[in-house]
Amino acid sequence: MISFENGVFSLGTENFSYMFRLTAHGQLEHLHFGATVAMTDAQAFACKPGTGWGSSVNYDTDGTCLDILPLEWSGSGRGDYRESPMALDMATDFVYQSYEIYGGPAQMLCGLPQAQDVTETLEIVMAHPGGLTLKLFYSLVGEVLLRRSVLENRSEETITLHKLMSFSVDLPGSYEMTTFDGSWDAEMRKSKVSVGAAKVVHESLTGFSSNRHQPGFLLSEPGAGEDHGNVYGFNLIYSGNHYASCQRSFQGLTRVMQGINPENFTKILTPGEIFETPEAVLCWASDGFNGLSGKLHSFINSHIVPKYWQYRERPVLYNSWEGCMFDFNRGRLLDLASRAKKLGCELFVLDDGWFGARNNDKAGLGDYAVNRRKLPGGLKALADRVNALGMEFGLWFEPEAVNPDSDLYRAHPDWALTDDLQPVYGRNELLLDLTRPEVRDYIVENVSATLDSANITYVKWDMNRHSVALGAKAHAYILGLYDVLRRIFEPRPNILLESCSSGGNRFDLGMLCFSPQIWCSDDTDPVERLEIQNSLSYLYPQSTFGAHVSAAPHSQTLRNTPLSTRGNVSFFGCLGYELDLKHLVPTEEKEITHQIAFYKDYRRIFQFGRFRRLWAPEGLAWQVNGGSTVLAGLFHKLVAAAPGYEQLRLQGLQPQSRYCMTSREQLLRVGQFGGLVKHIAPVALDPNGFVLRTADRLYPMNDGVQTLEASGNALMSGVMLNARFAGTGYDPGSRNQGDFCSNVYTVQEMK
Ligand code: GLA
């Protein structure tokens, strides 16, 4: 609902209100963003500056001072010395002119992606004496508010725009800012700072949203927790350089803004030209971080990912990369595919290395002609064979980049983006200049032709060059990328697109508008993935996480983790397998078969159920709620000797209903116990001898078997779990996996 009365704009749903009013001088004074309130509350929220502060620079002779007002937008040159969301080569005092409220969204002209099914939009027109118009758009969709700004040059002069944020707002109060920062293989490290007088800037400068600084961030009241307290979430529907800043004024107003990074950004606007900013997402919850995540998750599942894939279950996939890298041929792939099929996988994905001279990462990128030495019958023959096994077929591309050692580069060296200086390479690559129409046409035609040449139902769209060479071209590049994605995938909505950029280097809402899932990280070590997926869950739903089980010891950390934990972590995302299946022993094959069958039984809940981070003082716990069925995962890192009792505390159950809680059956290898086995075996056995090695391959042992019945209230209070291994003997009911152990529990309401 959006309304306007007595100079007050009120927007919101049953669950939140956003309110601001016109000041006497045509500025927009922010009043409220939080719990649902009535128009009649506006006066109560209004600022009461009394006789004001000394030494202020006044907007007018009546004593109005912009510097102390909570504003919805602010300019420069008229007394507000806080950061302005806009920069031109002149003062930027825009004043209110008119408004309009209409159903649906305001059309975007420049091709940036937008949230779907917007219910209502408020458009506010602000005017500048120099003949410029600024439009501020506020749209309602789900439980979030979208904001963006558009500048129109209606003057006779050409102007230069240096900065235009999507939104700015001044929230009264003190906040802590949570950001998610990282690097390749180490995405989404969570950190929190208090927002005070010194400005906190959170930005990316590589040309992409980047793994260095995730564009989504949170502001919370001090003391807010997972399940209580006021929390705000902000994000940008954009994949390029982003910028956000937060700063608390001396009067106790926290200014927050977000948009395209102004560094390296200039836009010349000739008379009549406009510049549109990406949509920003603003969300509030009073029930802590979990409450906020719930709202953001349903917004993304319902309004960001492509319609065809909304709440559509994702296949369990097998990906060739970690198992084969570049070293494969048709025979090896088909062997892997038939093994994957036997385990229960539904989609076989051929990763890098299938085209051109792509036998390592130094050559061939750009030449998407199938390598006939590796795949003599071509892609169609391979896809047909995979289909005949009963699996779908998917393919990897990296269409934005080129190796200088490629036919494409030799034919069109000028298509590669370089600074005017000596080219700098990332993973031996340069990016193609997606600002040029002929380059975009080439990519669209090339990729489309390959997709139509065989039965391909999944694409992994990778991008491994971590920066756009020319900063100033960064925004135009991103618009070019969206154009290419739209032209390839809108006519082929049933292709499941998984975006990837050396893992999570481009995990953002812009990419999610095209690809329903994103490869979270090249780091598939489950202990690392726990943190990465946990951090992502603050902002993004688990349906968007590509989450694969890989080999142990892990290729990046050398950590040895139980296969059960590798599966349990990946369940809370879109499950896949990415390891050489030839090396599995029978016990492992059995465990994987169980994992996939279990996941398929509960896939809808794992992918789309309401996700919550649970209380878990000794480890980390997650829950997904699918109504009468709830699934919970409890994960540990290093175990301690003689561990004490441990409880699991769930959420969101019916207090009076009875539930049956059962652990997922998971299997242990005998070899897990090493030399200990000889203590309990009736005959003397060599721990490295033939008998035990054979037993290890063939005979699985049960782990953590537990069933109990309890009321919803009991489960939400915390029920006692079975003991952990304490060096006093093996019991199948105990949790015996040692370091990095985990269990998944199904909790079923009993009728
Ligand atoms: C990137 C991706 C990997 C894999 C390789 C292939 O690193 O993140 O998953 O696809 O490229 O070269």
Side-chain angles (χ1 to χ4, degrees):
M1 239 312 259
I2 303 181
S3 52
F4 179 65
E5 259 173 49
N6 303 324
V8 177
F9 292 96
S10 172
L11 306 93
T13 66
E14 279 167 16
N15 301 313
F16 83 93
S17 285
Y18 190 98
M19 208 180 247
F20 56 95
R21 69 173 182 180
L22 294 174
T23 68
H25 297 286
Q27 268 79 33
L28 306 175
E29 179 186 340
H30 177 79
L31 295 174
H32 172 72
F33 183 16
T36 318
V37 293
M39 273 289 184
T40 45
D41 292 318
Q43 191 52 40
F45 286 120
C47 251
K48 282 120 188 138
T51 50
W53 282 264
S55 207
S56 48
V57 174
N58 290 343
Y59 188 77
D60 207 345
T61 48
D62 64 358
T64 299
C65 173
L66 298 183
D67 212 30
I68 58 169
L69 279 184
L71 293 171
E72 284 290 300
W73 191 263
S74 148
S76 59
R78 297 299 302 272
D80 185 351
Y81 294 101
R82 295 167 293 179
E83 181 178 355
S84 169
M86 170 189 247
L88 298 167
D89 289 328
M90 56 181 137
T92 55
D93 181 32
F94 283 80
V95 295
Y96 173 81
Q97 227 183 11
S98 62
Y99 81 94
E100 209 184 319
I101 295 170
Y102 39 83
Q107 226 54 52
M108 187 90 86
L109 302 172
C110 66
L112 284 166
Q114 284 183 277
Q116 306 153 30
D117 303 323
V118 159
T119 45
E120 238 183 328
T121 297
L122 164 66
E123 177 177 331
I124 293 196
V125 181
M126 314 275 287
H128 183 275
L132 311 179
T133 297
L134 174 71
K135 289 186 176 164
L136 301 180
F137 292 95
Y138 297 77
S139 296
L140 289 174
V141 55
E143 285 305 320
V144 311
L145 176 71
L146 303 172
R147 283 192 59 182
R148 67 186 175 99
S149 63
V150 174
L151 184 68
E152 294 183 18
N153 182 4
R154 294 188 180 173
S155 76
E156 306 286 302
E157 312 288 326
T158 291
I159 59 157
T160 307
L161 176 65
H162 300 288
K163 171 184 184 184
L164 188 63
M165 292 289 105
S166 292
F167 80 94
S168 169
V169 68
D170 295 330
L171 300 171
S174 297
Y175 298 97
E176 291 169 340
M177 183 184 195
T178 301
T179 61
F180 302 91
D181 310 278
S183 146
W184 172 72
D185 241 15
E187 292 87 348
M188 297 296 287
R189 303 293 140 120
K190 179 170 161 236
S191 62
K192 200 190 255 186
V193 289
S194 284
V195 180
K199 184 160 71 188
V200 186
V201 168
H202 179 67
E203 61 179 344
S204 79
L205 286 163
T206 59
F208 300 105
S209 51
S210 92
N211 49 25
R212 297 161 188 236
H213 306 288
Q214 157 63 230
F217 67 97
L218 312 167
L219 283 188
S220 53
E221 311 179 309
E226 286 292 1
D227 302 300
H228 66 274
N230 283 307
V231 183
Y232 295 93
F234 303 91
N235 209 338
L236 215 51
I237 307 182
Y238 189 56
S239 312
N241 281 338
H242 59 87
Y243 175 92
S245 71
C246 295
Q247 187 171 27
R248 191 164 181 271
S249 73
F250 199 71
Q251 287 73 31
L253 302 174
T254 299
R255 175 159 291 183
V256 194
M257 63 181 70
Q258 191 177 24
I260 296 174
N261 200 321
E263 187 158 328
N264 275 331
F265 170 88
T266 36
K267 179 74 190 161
I268 309 289
L269 290 184
T270 55
E273 262 198 287
I274 71 167
F275 184 77
E276 298 177 303
T277 60
E279 275 177 345
V281 176
L282 290 78
C283 187
W284 164 84
S286 60
D287 48 352
F289 295 100
N290 267 324
L292 185 87
S293 300
K295 290 180 174 182
L296 292 175
H297 292 187
S298 58
F299 163 68
I300 294 167
N301 278 328
S302 307
H303 303 285
I304 288 289
V305 302
K307 272 234 152 28
Y308 181 90
W309 287 100
Q310 285 172 10
Y311 300 102
R312 189 178 287 263
E313 290 180 24
R314 315 289 161 72
V316 177
L317 68 79
Y318 175 81
N319 178 298
S320 66
W321 178 245
E322 287 197 23
C324 302
M325 304 263 158
F326 295 101
D327 181 21
F328 57 80
N329 55 34
R330 181 180 142 95
R332 184 159 183 217
L333 294 179
L334 287 174
D335 175 58
L336 283 168
S338 70
R339 288 174 193 271
K341 170 67 188 171
K342 277 194 205 114
L343 298 173
C345 292
E346 299 159 312
L347 163 69
F348 182 82
V349 179
L350 174 53
D351 207 280
D352 198 355
W354 58 267
F355 52 84
R358 187 78 176 159
N359 297 314
N360 51 49
D361 65 10
K362 295 191 176 66
L365 204 56
D367 303 337
Y368 294 101
V370 73
N371 181 325
R372 295 264 164 188
R373 281 185 55 204
K374 288 181 184 174
L375 303 174
L379 281 177
K380 176 153 171 33
L382 179 66
D384 288 349
R385 286 289 300 274
V386 170
N387 289 166
L389 287 170
M391 293 173 97
E392 293 183 68
F393 181 69
L395 203 55
W396 180 96
F397 292 87
E398 190 178 344
E400 296 163 69
V402 67
N403 284 131
D405 184 1
S406 66
D407 293 342
L408 180 67
Y409 185 82
R410 282 183 280 273
H412 301 283
D414 57 316
W415 281 11
L417 265 174
T418 55
D419 288 310
D420 298 331
L421 310 167
Q422 186 76 0
V424 283
Y425 300 98
R427 208 187 181 205
N428 313 302
E429 297 170 12
L430 295 170
L431 284 179
L432 293 171
D433 188 351
L434 266 57
T435 70
R436 289 169 65 164
E438 67 276 26
V439 175
R440 297 202 296 273
D441 290 349
Y442 169 80
I443 295 175
V444 171
E445 281 158 23
N446 212 269
V447 175
S448 303
T450 307
L451 293 180
D452 297 340
S453 73
N455 187 18
I456 296 168
T457 53
Y458 164 103
V459 167
K460 179 171 169 190
W461 183 288
D462 207 343
M463 196 285 285
N464 290 302
R465 151 91 204 206
H466 285 201
S467 68
V468 177
L470 295 168
K473 269 197 176 176
H475 179 61
Y477 179 97
I478 294 293
L479 293 178
L481 169 64
Y482 293 146
D483 174 58
V484 164
L485 290 172
R486 199 170 274 128
R487 284 163 62 195
I488 297 173
F489 294 102
E490 272 186 9
R492 300 171 181 83
N494 60 317
I495 292 185
L496 174 58
L497 178 60
E498 177 155 349
S499 151
C500 169
S501 177
S502 306
N505 186 43
R506 211 162 52 180
F507 205 117
D508 60 63
L509 293 177
M511 291 311 288
L512 284 174
C513 288
F514 301 92
S515 72
Q517 60 194 58
I518 298 182
W519 183 225
C520 305
S521 176
D522 279 351
D523 191 349
T524 49
D525 174 313
V527 181
E528 300 273 312
R529 269 304 181 101
L530 265 181
E531 297 300 334
I532 294 170
Q533 290 176 215
N534 196 63
S535 287
L536 280 169
S537 77
Y538 283 89
L539 300 161
Y540 302 98
Q542 69 276 16
S543 66
T544 62
F545 306 170
H548 298 178
V549 171
S550 61
H554 189 259
S555 57
Q556 264 122 25
T557 58
L558 293 178
R559 188 181 281 125
N560 222 330
T561 52
L563 179 54
S564 52
T565 293
R566 286 177 264 153
N568 292 342
V569 173
S570 303
F571 288 162
F572 292 82
C574 298
L575 178 65
Y577 288 79
E578 191 164 338
L579 69 170
D580 195 341
L581 302 176
K582 208 171 63 196
H583 301 314
L584 296 176
V585 299
T587 299
E588 291 173 320
E589 284 173 349
K590 216 171 198 173
E591 166 67 12
I592 293 182
T593 310
H594 286 183
Q595 288 178 354
I596 297 179
F598 178 81
Y599 183 77
K600 285 179 181 167
D601 282 347
Y602 297 105
R603 167 166 34 196
R604 175 152 289 281
I605 303 173
F606 275 125
Q607 295 181 353
F608 302 107
R610 167 75 202 273
F611 181 98
R612 285 188 180 90
R613 295 166 296 273
L614 297 179
W615 168 88
E618 291 183 66
L620 204 141
W622 295 331
Q623 173 191 310
V624 281
N625 192 331
S628 56
T629 310
V630 169
L631 299 149
L634 175 61
F635 305 92
H636 286 281
K637 293 192 180 168
L638 297 186
V639 296
Y645 293 117
E646 190 177 30
Q647 289 163 290
L648 180 67
R649 195 188 278 174
L650 302 177
Q651 290 194 15
L653 305 182
Q654 296 298 326
Q656 306 308 334
S657 296
R658 298 279 311 160
Y659 290 86
C660 178
M661 178 177 122
T662 321
S663 59
R664 176 182 80 82
E665 182 188 2
Q666 57 188 32
L667 302 178
L668 271 177
R669 286 175 64 166
V670 179
Q672 152 103 9
F673 294 97
L676 283 178
V677 177
K678 67 176 189 240
H679 295 312
I680 50 166
V683 289
L685 286 174
D686 173 357
N688 294 315
F690 175 75
V691 173
L692 273 183
R693 276 195 282 119
T694 307
D696 187 36
R697 287 166 49 80
L698 298 177
Y699 299 107
M701 295 162 78
N702 284 318
D703 174 59
V705 182
Q706 180 167 19
T707 302
L708 60 78
E709 279 181 32
S711 67
N713 255 343
L715 285 155
M716 292 191 288
S717 307
V719 293
M720 195 63 87
L721 294 174
N722 279 2
R724 285 170 280 180
F725 183 78
T728 46
Y730 165 74
D731 160 17
S734 291
R735 292 172 288 150
N736 296 302
Q737 297 271 12
D739 284 348
F740 320 116
C741 64
S742 66
N743 288 86
V744 164
Y745 300 91
T746 48
V747 182
Q748 186 65 52
E749 190 176 351
M750 295 159 71
K751 290 285 177 229

mmCIF file of all heavy atoms in Angstrom, residues 184 319 321 326 351-352 358 361 396 398 427 460 462 464 500-503 519 521-522 578, ligand 1:
data_model
loop_
_atom_site.group_PDB
_atom_site.id
_atom_site.type_symbol
_atom_site.label_atom_id
_atom_site.label_comp_id
_atom_site.label_asym_id
_atom_site.label_seq_id
_atom_site.Cartn_x
_atom_site.Cartn_y
_atom_site.Cartn_z
ATOM 1 N N TRP A 184 39.226 -15.269 -3.391
ATOM 2 C CA TRP A 184 39.015 -16.552 -4.059
ATOM 3 C C TRP A 184 39.154 -17.665 -3.020
ATOM 4 O O TRP A 184 40.053 -17.622 -2.172
ATOM 5 C CB TRP A 184 40.060 -16.752 -5.175
ATOM 6 C CG TRP A 184 39.984 -18.137 -5.740
ATOM 7 C CD1 TRP A 184 38.991 -18.636 -6.538
ATOM 8 C CD2 TRP A 184 40.910 -19.201 -5.523
ATOM 9 N NE1 TRP A 184 39.245 -19.948 -6.823
ATOM 10 C CE2 TRP A 184 40.420 -20.325 -6.216
ATOM 11 C CE3 TRP A 184 42.105 -19.322 -4.799
ATOM 12 C CZ2 TRP A 184 41.079 -21.557 -6.218
ATOM 13 C CZ3 TRP A 184 42.763 -20.534 -4.806
ATOM 14 C CH2 TRP A 184 42.248 -21.637 -5.512
ATOM 15 N N ASN A 319 29.468 -33.035 -11.589
ATOM 16 C CA ASN A 319 30.290 -32.116 -12.384
ATOM 17 C C ASN A 319 31.687 -32.715 -12.556
ATOM 18 O O ASN A 319 32.276 -33.220 -11.598
ATOM 19 C CB ASN A 319 30.347 -30.751 -11.680
ATOM 20 C CG ASN A 319 31.232 -29.768 -12.423
ATOM 21 O OD1 ASN A 319 32.431 -29.990 -12.581
ATOM 22 N ND2 ASN A 319 30.663 -28.671 -12.875
ATOM 23 N N TRP A 321 34.624 -31.349 -13.112
ATOM 24 C CA TRP A 321 35.828 -30.550 -12.908
ATOM 25 C C TRP A 321 36.803 -31.137 -11.882
ATOM 26 O O TRP A 321 37.933 -31.500 -12.226
ATOM 27 C CB TRP A 321 35.464 -29.098 -12.560
ATOM 28 C CG TRP A 321 36.668 -28.241 -12.303
ATOM 29 C CD1 TRP A 321 37.025 -27.655 -11.135
ATOM 30 C CD2 TRP A 321 37.702 -27.909 -13.240
ATOM 31 N NE1 TRP A 321 38.195 -26.962 -11.278
ATOM 32 C CE2 TRP A 321 38.643 -27.108 -12.563
ATOM 33 C CE3 TRP A 321 37.929 -28.206 -14.591
ATOM 34 C CZ2 TRP A 321 39.785 -26.600 -13.176
ATOM 35 C CZ3 TRP A 321 39.068 -27.701 -15.207
ATOM 36 C CH2 TRP A 321 39.979 -26.912 -14.497
ATOM 37 N N PHE A 326 41.214 -30.977 -16.860
ATOM 38 C CA PHE A 326 41.200 -30.932 -18.331
ATOM 39 C C PHE A 326 41.425 -32.315 -18.971
ATOM 40 O O PHE A 326 41.423 -32.446 -20.180
ATOM 41 C CB PHE A 326 42.293 -29.977 -18.833
ATOM 42 C CG PHE A 326 42.068 -28.550 -18.434
ATOM 43 C CD1 PHE A 326 42.754 -27.975 -17.377
ATOM 44 C CD2 PHE A 326 41.152 -27.759 -19.124
ATOM 45 C CE1 PHE A 326 42.545 -26.654 -17.017
ATOM 46 C CE2 PHE A 326 40.937 -26.432 -18.767
ATOM 47 C CZ PHE A 326 41.629 -25.879 -17.711
ATOM 48 N N ASP A 351 32.473 -29.919 -17.528
ATOM 49 C CA ASP A 351 33.054 -28.621 -17.179
ATOM 50 C C ASP A 351 34.109 -28.238 -18.222
ATOM 51 O O ASP A 351 34.090 -28.706 -19.368
ATOM 52 C CB ASP A 351 33.622 -28.692 -15.746
ATOM 53 C CG ASP A 351 33.640 -27.354 -15.035
ATOM 54 O OD1 ASP A 351 34.564 -26.568 -15.312
ATOM 55 O OD2 ASP A 351 32.740 -27.073 -14.217
ATOM 56 N N ASP A 352 35.024 -27.412 -17.845
ATOM 57 C CA ASP A 352 36.044 -26.848 -18.739
ATOM 58 C C ASP A 352 36.807 -27.945 -19.500
ATOM 59 O O ASP A 352 36.951 -29.059 -19.018
ATOM 60 C CB ASP A 352 37.030 -26.065 -17.853
ATOM 61 C CG ASP A 352 37.855 -25.081 -18.649
ATOM 62 O OD1 ASP A 352 37.737 -25.070 -19.877
ATOM 63 O OD2 ASP A 352 38.608 -24.319 -18.015
ATOM 64 N N ARG A 358 41.884 -26.322 -25.541
ATOM 65 C CA ARG A 358 41.745 -26.054 -24.107
ATOM 66 C C ARG A 358 42.194 -27.288 -23.306
ATOM 67 O O ARG A 358 41.355 -28.033 -22.757
ATOM 68 C CB ARG A 358 40.290 -25.706 -23.846
ATOM 69 C CG ARG A 358 39.985 -25.232 -22.444
ATOM 70 C CD ARG A 358 40.380 -23.819 -22.192
ATOM 71 N NE ARG A 358 39.974 -23.408 -20.853
ATOM 72 C CZ ARG A 358 40.499 -22.407 -20.183
ATOM 73 N NH1 ARG A 358 41.438 -21.663 -20.718
ATOM 74 N NH2 ARG A 358 40.083 -22.115 -18.983
ATOM 75 N N ASP A 361 44.702 -24.039 -18.769
ATOM 76 C CA ASP A 361 44.020 -22.736 -18.786
ATOM 77 C C ASP A 361 44.805 -21.654 -19.537
ATOM 78 O O ASP A 361 44.498 -20.474 -19.420
ATOM 79 C CB ASP A 361 43.636 -22.292 -17.365
ATOM 80 C CG ASP A 361 44.842 -22.031 -16.479
ATOM 81 O OD1 ASP A 361 45.978 -22.002 -16.997
ATOM 82 O OD2 ASP A 361 44.652 -21.855 -15.259
ATOM 83 N N TRP A 396 29.781 -26.387 -19.577
ATOM 84 C CA TRP A 396 30.486 -25.209 -19.050
ATOM 85 C C TRP A 396 30.879 -24.275 -20.197
ATOM 86 O O TRP A 396 31.296 -24.720 -21.264
ATOM 87 C CB TRP A 396 31.736 -25.707 -18.337
ATOM 88 C CG TRP A 396 32.647 -24.675 -17.708
ATOM 89 C CD1 TRP A 396 32.642 -24.290 -16.399
ATOM 90 C CD2 TRP A 396 33.732 -23.965 -18.323
ATOM 91 N NE1 TRP A 396 33.654 -23.370 -16.169
ATOM 92 C CE2 TRP A 396 34.335 -23.150 -17.333
ATOM 93 C CE3 TRP A 396 34.246 -23.919 -19.621
ATOM 94 C CZ2 TRP A 396 35.429 -22.314 -17.588
ATOM 95 C CZ3 TRP A 396 35.333 -23.081 -19.879
ATOM 96 C CH2 TRP A 396 35.910 -22.293 -18.864
ATOM 97 N N GLU A 398 32.842 -20.169 -20.715
ATOM 98 C CA GLU A 398 33.316 -18.914 -20.114
ATOM 99 C C GLU A 398 33.294 -17.841 -21.205
ATOM 100 O O GLU A 398 34.341 -17.378 -21.677
ATOM 101 C CB GLU A 398 34.729 -19.087 -19.523
ATOM 102 C CG GLU A 398 35.116 -17.883 -18.688
ATOM 103 C CD GLU A 398 36.474 -17.993 -18.025
ATOM 104 O OE1 GLU A 398 37.024 -19.109 -17.947
ATOM 105 O OE2 GLU A 398 36.981 -16.939 -17.602
ATOM 106 N N ARG A 427 44.371 -15.292 -14.741
ATOM 107 C CA ARG A 427 44.268 -16.689 -15.210
ATOM 108 C C ARG A 427 44.498 -16.776 -16.728
ATOM 109 O O ARG A 427 43.737 -17.411 -17.454
ATOM 110 C CB ARG A 427 42.914 -17.290 -14.846
ATOM 111 C CG ARG A 427 42.996 -18.800 -14.678
ATOM 112 C CD ARG A 427 41.631 -19.430 -14.474
ATOM 113 N NE ARG A 427 41.755 -20.868 -14.303
ATOM 114 C CZ ARG A 427 40.796 -21.732 -14.564
ATOM 115 N NH1 ARG A 427 39.627 -21.319 -14.978
ATOM 116 N NH2 ARG A 427 40.993 -23.010 -14.391
ATOM 117 N N LYS A 460 26.793 -23.954 -17.041
ATOM 118 C CA LYS A 460 27.592 -23.272 -16.016
ATOM 119 C C LYS A 460 28.314 -22.131 -16.725
ATOM 120 O O LYS A 460 29.145 -22.371 -17.596
ATOM 121 C CB LYS A 460 28.583 -24.261 -15.394
ATOM 122 C CG LYS A 460 29.484 -23.645 -14.329
ATOM 123 C CD LYS A 460 30.269 -24.744 -13.616
ATOM 124 C CE LYS A 460 31.364 -24.195 -12.727
ATOM 125 N NZ LYS A 460 32.259 -25.264 -12.244
ATOM 126 N N ASP A 462 30.815 -19.381 -16.504
ATOM 127 C CA ASP A 462 31.930 -19.016 -15.639
ATOM 128 C C ASP A 462 32.541 -17.689 -16.085
ATOM 129 O O ASP A 462 32.308 -17.219 -17.206
ATOM 130 C CB ASP A 462 32.976 -20.139 -15.719
ATOM 131 C CG ASP A 462 33.826 -20.236 -14.471
ATOM 132 O OD1 ASP A 462 33.852 -19.277 -13.683
ATOM 133 O OD2 ASP A 462 34.485 -21.276 -14.297
ATOM 134 N N ASN A 464 36.416 -16.012 -15.104
ATOM 135 C CA ASN A 464 37.564 -16.156 -14.209
ATOM 136 C C ASN A 464 38.582 -15.028 -14.276
ATOM 137 O O ASN A 464 39.668 -15.142 -13.717
ATOM 138 C CB ASN A 464 38.279 -17.482 -14.505
ATOM 139 C CG ASN A 464 37.437 -18.656 -14.076
ATOM 140 O OD1 ASN A 464 37.075 -18.759 -12.910
ATOM 141 N ND2 ASN A 464 37.080 -19.509 -15.020
ATOM 142 N N CYS A 500 28.947 -18.600 -12.229
ATOM 143 C CA CYS A 500 30.150 -18.925 -11.469
ATOM 144 C C CYS A 500 31.188 -17.891 -11.856
ATOM 145 O O CYS A 500 31.216 -17.428 -12.989
ATOM 146 C CB CYS A 500 30.607 -20.325 -11.877
ATOM 147 S SG CYS A 500 32.247 -20.775 -11.291
ATOM 148 N N SER A 501 32.008 -17.517 -10.904
ATOM 149 C CA SER A 501 33.114 -16.648 -11.256
ATOM 150 C C SER A 501 34.255 -17.034 -10.333
ATOM 151 O O SER A 501 34.370 -16.497 -9.235
ATOM 152 C CB SER A 501 32.690 -15.186 -11.077
ATOM 153 O OG SER A 501 33.771 -14.337 -11.355
ATOM 154 N N SER A 502 35.017 -18.020 -10.753
ATOM 155 C CA SER A 502 36.027 -18.628 -9.869
ATOM 156 C C SER A 502 35.371 -18.910 -8.526
ATOM 157 O O SER A 502 35.897 -18.558 -7.475
ATOM 158 C CB SER A 502 37.215 -17.702 -9.652
ATOM 159 O OG SER A 502 37.761 -17.301 -10.863
ATOM 160 N N GLY A 503 34.205 -19.490 -8.548
ATOM 161 C CA GLY A 503 33.421 -19.651 -7.322
ATOM 162 C C GLY A 503 32.527 -18.439 -7.162
ATOM 163 O O GLY A 503 31.859 -18.007 -8.096
ATOM 164 N N TRP A 519 27.503 -20.838 -8.165
ATOM 165 C CA TRP A 519 28.534 -21.674 -7.546
ATOM 166 C C TRP A 519 29.181 -20.844 -6.429
ATOM 167 O O TRP A 519 29.817 -19.830 -6.692
ATOM 168 C CB TRP A 519 29.537 -22.085 -8.624
ATOM 169 C CG TRP A 519 30.629 -23.008 -8.206
ATOM 170 C CD1 TRP A 519 31.954 -22.873 -8.522
ATOM 171 C CD2 TRP A 519 30.506 -24.215 -7.461
ATOM 172 N NE1 TRP A 519 32.661 -23.923 -7.995
ATOM 173 C CE2 TRP A 519 31.800 -24.758 -7.334
ATOM 174 C CE3 TRP A 519 29.432 -24.894 -6.863
ATOM 175 C CZ2 TRP A 519 32.052 -25.941 -6.639
ATOM 176 C CZ3 TRP A 519 29.686 -26.065 -6.178
ATOM 177 C CH2 TRP A 519 30.977 -26.578 -6.072
ATOM 178 N N SER A 521 31.606 -21.230 -4.191
ATOM 179 C CA SER A 521 33.047 -21.109 -3.972
ATOM 180 C C SER A 521 33.741 -22.282 -4.621
ATOM 181 O O SER A 521 33.181 -23.381 -4.673
ATOM 182 C CB SER A 521 33.334 -21.141 -2.463
ATOM 183 O OG SER A 521 34.724 -21.122 -2.238
ATOM 184 N N ASP A 522 34.975 -22.087 -5.066
ATOM 185 C CA ASP A 522 35.768 -23.225 -5.518
ATOM 186 C C ASP A 522 36.212 -24.054 -4.317
ATOM 187 O O ASP A 522 36.754 -25.140 -4.477
ATOM 188 C CB ASP A 522 37.002 -22.751 -6.293
ATOM 189 C CG ASP A 522 36.650 -22.404 -7.740
ATOM 190 O OD1 ASP A 522 35.516 -22.693 -8.156
ATOM 191 O OD2 ASP A 522 37.511 -21.850 -8.443
ATOM 192 N N GLU A 578 31.307 -33.831 -7.127
ATOM 193 C CA GLU A 578 32.387 -33.346 -7.978
ATOM 194 C C GLU A 578 33.691 -33.996 -7.517
ATOM 195 O O GLU A 578 34.498 -33.393 -6.821
ATOM 196 C CB GLU A 578 32.443 -31.813 -7.870
ATOM 197 C CG GLU A 578 33.336 -31.185 -8.894
ATOM 198 C CD GLU A 578 33.125 -29.674 -9.061
ATOM 199 O OE1 GLU A 578 32.056 -29.146 -8.719
ATOM 200 O OE2 GLU A 578 34.076 -29.037 -9.542
HETATM 201 C C1 GLA B 1 36.686 -21.876 -12.335
HETATM 202 C C2 GLA B 1 35.439 -22.444 -11.696
HETATM 203 C C3 GLA B 1 35.606 -23.926 -11.474
HETATM 204 C C4 GLA B 1 35.886 -24.603 -12.797
HETATM 205 C C5 GLA B 1 37.092 -23.964 -13.452
HETATM 206 C C6 GLA B 1 37.296 -24.488 -14.854
HETATM 207 O O1 GLA B 1 37.753 -21.924 -11.479
HETATM 208 O O2 GLA B 1 35.157 -21.789 -10.497
HETATM 209 O O3 GLA B 1 34.452 -24.483 -10.868
HETATM 210 O O4 GLA B 1 34.756 -24.505 -13.623
HETATM 211 O O5 GLA B 1 36.964 -22.557 -13.541
HETATM 212 O O6 GLA B 1 38.383 -23.910 -15.457
#
